[in-house]
Amino acid sequence: MNMQQLDSDLWITDFPLRFLGLEVGARMTIVRLPDRQLFLHSPIAATRELVRAVEELGRVACLVAPNLFHHLYVGEWKQRIPEAAVYVAPGLEQKRPDLELAGVLGERPEPLWSDSIDQVLVQGLPFTNEVVFFHRPSATLIATDLAFNVGPGSPPLTRFVFRLSRAYGRLTPTFLERLLVRDADAFRASLERILAWPFERVVVAHGQVSESGGREELVRGYSWLLERGQGA
Ligand SMILES: [Fe+2]
């Protein structure tokens, strides 16, 4: 169990995961809402030990699958905690008809978490359809695949490949993501809404947490897109 507390109501826990043959890990983020209700973002495997540790933090109120790829373990959690409400990124309602949903994530936060968490549905990248969250009390951006942050904590092969693609040691979108943008203007507008939040810390699903200066790092990582907008 490697649960780590980042702030008074914010925890992360990681899980080994390979993507395109590379060990990149996957991270679940846990936010405690008022009334000790828990918001589980991008759930990882629901081992008995993890479920017990999470339940010590509060009551699991919602399970959130934030994009089209981070949904694999939501069903396991729902089985263990049937009263938890499942919310998924748009498109997952078709991809996962087996899940009993409370709702599909959109441009506005659900009443359950809107007091402390805001959200943006990233437009223009239908490959992931990611919803990005901002936890106001801890000034934390909670993203999934919007950026990776592979650093010294990753295995040698992963570090090597990310170095080759100039994505090592910094918070930046992957090369793949750049290729898959379908509507750059829509994507940039979503990104600008995200960057308008006053966040310092950035938590992503793969790689290191940026404890401070995360906003500036993200601006650098997306300069290719943001600068195109200024020139238009
Ligand atoms: Fe991912």
Side-chain angles (χ1 to χ4, degrees):
M1 178 71 55
N2 57 4
M3 194 174 301
Q4 189 188 342
Q5 184 164 16
L6 300 180
D7 210 294
S8 55
D9 290 311
L10 183 69
W11 294 262
I12 54 170
T13 179
D14 295 353
F15 182 69
L17 183 94
R18 293 177 87 82
F19 179 67
L20 300 178
L22 287 182
E23 179 56 53
V24 290
R27 171 169 301 134
M28 172 166 82
T29 303
I30 304 158
V31 179
R32 189 162 53 197
L33 305 166
D35 302 326
R36 287 178 56 81
Q37 300 199 96
L38 302 179
F39 171 100
L40 263 57
H41 175 272
S42 185
I44 57 172
T47 62
R48 200 176 298 257
E49 188 192 15
L50 179 59
V51 173
R52 200 178 308 127
V54 166
E55 286 184 321
E56 277 174 20
L57 306 175
R59 184 177 68 77
V60 178
C62 49
L63 305 167
V64 176
N67 74 22
L68 290 175
F69 295 93
H70 285 246
H71 59 86
L72 299 177
Y73 301 103
V74 170
E76 281 184 17
W77 281 89
K78 177 71 176 166
Q79 266 185 350
R80 288 191 179 257
I81 308 172
E83 64 275 21
V86 176
Y87 290 89
V88 298
L92 278 177
E93 70 278 25
Q94 282 114 33
K95 200 169 169 182
R96 293 294 306 271
D98 58 306
L99 290 176
E100 182 200 325
L101 302 183
V104 176
L105 299 164
E107 287 288 3
R108 291 185 176 280
E110 297 293 327
L112 186 59
W113 59 76
S114 59
D115 280 353
S116 46
I117 300 176
D118 201 355
Q119 72 192 50
V120 163
L121 167 59
V122 177
Q123 306 282 352
L125 186 62
F127 183 69
T128 59
N129 264 359
E130 180 159 323
V131 180
V132 176
F133 299 91
F134 171 55
H135 183 227
R136 231 174 274 119
S138 65
T140 301
L141 188 78
I142 304 172
T144 310
D145 296 325
L146 183 76
F148 278 46
N149 195 7
V150 168
S154 296
L157 181 62
T158 307
R159 297 202 306 261
F160 176 71
V161 171
F162 274 74
R163 271 208 176 91
L164 276 186
S165 60
R166 295 188 185 170
Y168 179 79
R170 59 200 189 102
L171 193 63
T172 187
T174 59
F175 186 64
L176 192 63
E177 184 169 312
R178 285 178 69 148
L179 289 178
L180 292 168
V181 172
R182 285 284 165 272
D183 181 339
D185 290 337
F187 190 99
R188 186 170 51 245
S190 297
L191 199 59
E192 282 167 354
R193 284 184 57 206
I194 291 169
L195 293 169
W197 288 324
F199 60 91
E200 270 294 324
R201 181 191 288 118
V202 177
V203 178
V204 289
H206 312 286
Q208 305 179 141
V209 172
S210 288
E211 269 301 322
S212 60
R215 191 186 168 283
E216 287 67 34
E217 273 193 82
L218 207 57
V219 167
R220 273 198 298 278
Y222 272 104
S223 58
W224 52 279
L225 182 76
L226 295 166
E227 282 162 14
R228 244 167 82 180
Q230 285 162 8

